[in-house]
Amino acid sequence: MIVTASPPPQHVRAAFGAKESVPELVGAGPHWRCDDIALRPVTNPAEASWVAQTLGELTVPDLRIGRPLRSSDGRYVVGGWVAFRYVSGTAEARYDEMVAASLRLHRATAGLSVPRFLQGRADVFAMADRAAAGVEEAPLNPSLGGRLFDVLSASRRPLGLRPQVVHGDLFGNVLFDGDAAPGIVDFTAFHRPPEWAAAVLVVDALAWGGADDGLPKRWAHLPEWPQALLHALLYRLAVHALHPHSTEQSMRGLERAARLVTTV
């Protein structure tokens, strides 16, 4: 995901049928709202088109989905932008509801084919995903997660859970608006088990969302939960150790998460 201070140009807004209103940045971005339409910039048109088609066809009980829009000539991506119906709400610290929404979402995505663009990914997140799974090594910064990664990876065991297409970045990306169902407007695809995706959300909430200590134990009934948590923690440690914007302060959050998830 990229954040831009520049609104979508007029020809992009017109292509998606947005009204002639001034675009309004939603929160810190990268979404811009034009009445009932929201737009966001993308860097990978193939992935963005897959996300649009997937969210356009997906039906999930008790989950609001920002339905993608096609341009006037049938495209999902115009000038590096995609559009979808605006979904109201903000990110809130309702983490148990988010985990439950994650599980509902992934029951609905269980039959999706693995998108081809996943095989060609070479970004920090793909490298971290492969390192956490033990598929390949990565140059992890020791002081920003690499040292703790090496210690904890000794306890890693292969997950016996079925991998499928999951959303691997739900923290901060689930929208709440009072009593309305949670909402999502994007999908960051990974080929991992649903329990792993739920565990990544729990690790993120513990590390950076102020979640209470009991969050991971409340979901201990999920299959292979201790190992799912460990794999998720290793993934986040690898991301942190690879990402150029990581800091010692954000590392403190992961250290807290490590203390909590390794005792479940």
Side-chain angles (χ1 to χ4, degrees):
M1 182 176 290
I2 53 179
V3 179
T4 177
S6 300
Q10 197 280 332
H11 76 276
V12 169
R13 304 198 304 271
F16 287 113
K19 297 179 181 178
E20 290 296 324
S21 57
V22 177
E24 175 187 354
L25 186 64
V26 180
H31 300 149
W32 291 82
R33 181 183 180 184
C34 299
D35 294 314
D36 64 340
I37 294 177
L39 299 100
R40 65 177 176 84
V42 297
T43 56
N44 186 327
E47 181 172 356
S49 295
W50 178 89
V51 170
Q53 184 172 355
T54 298
L55 292 184
E57 298 172 353
L58 205 60
T59 300
V60 186
D62 298 317
L63 189 67
R64 295 176 297 143
I65 297 175
R67 298 298 180 186
L69 301 174
R70 290 183 183 269
S71 66
S72 55
D73 61 0
R75 291 177 290 166
Y76 282 123
V77 182
V78 176
W81 292 81
V82 294
F84 50 91
R85 290 296 175 191
Y86 175 73
V87 173
S88 64
T90 57
E92 298 181 16
R94 296 163 62 171
Y95 298 126
D96 288 291
E97 294 176 67
M98 290 170 65
V99 174
S102 171
L103 297 173
R104 292 196 303 276
L105 171 64
H106 295 135
R107 282 194 289 272
T109 64
L112 292 180
S113 299
V114 181
R116 286 181 293 179
F117 65 77
L118 286 183
Q119 299 177 0
R121 265 191 188 160
D123 58 19
V124 163
F125 304 97
M127 293 172 61
D129 182 38
R130 293 191 289 267
V135 175
E136 64 181 45
E137 295 184 354
L140 306 183
N141 185 321
S143 64
L144 292 177
R147 187 176 299 109
L148 186 54
F149 180 99
D150 290 341
V151 171
L152 294 176
S153 62
S155 300
R156 177 183 55 207
R157 302 291 179 269
L159 290 173
L161 303 165
R162 175 184 174 272
Q164 62 167 77
V165 176
V166 297
H167 190 323
D169 191 27
L170 282 167
F171 177 73
N173 292 310
V174 179
L175 304 178
F176 291 95
D177 187 3
D179 295 331
I184 62 169
V185 296
D186 199 0
F187 197 107
T188 305
F190 287 81
H191 187 225
R192 293 291 175 225
E195 295 82 2
W196 175 89
V200 170
L201 174 53
V202 168
V203 168
D204 289 352
L206 292 170
W208 304 301
D212 67 276
D213 293 3
L215 177 63
K217 293 183 179 180
R218 289 197 293 276
W219 296 94
H221 58 281
L222 293 177
E224 298 190 37
W225 187 236
Q227 277 294 316
L229 283 170
L230 179 59
H231 279 246
L233 177 60
L234 290 171
Y235 165 68
R236 276 302 182 214
L237 285 169
V239 170
H240 197 271
L242 289 166
H243 204 285
H245 296 148
S246 296
T247 66
E248 292 184 1
Q249 182 178 358
S250 55
M251 183 63 205
R252 300 292 84 79
L254 281 172
E255 290 171 349
R256 176 192 182 235
R259 288 193 300 272
L260 294 170
V261 305
T262 53
T263 57
V264 173

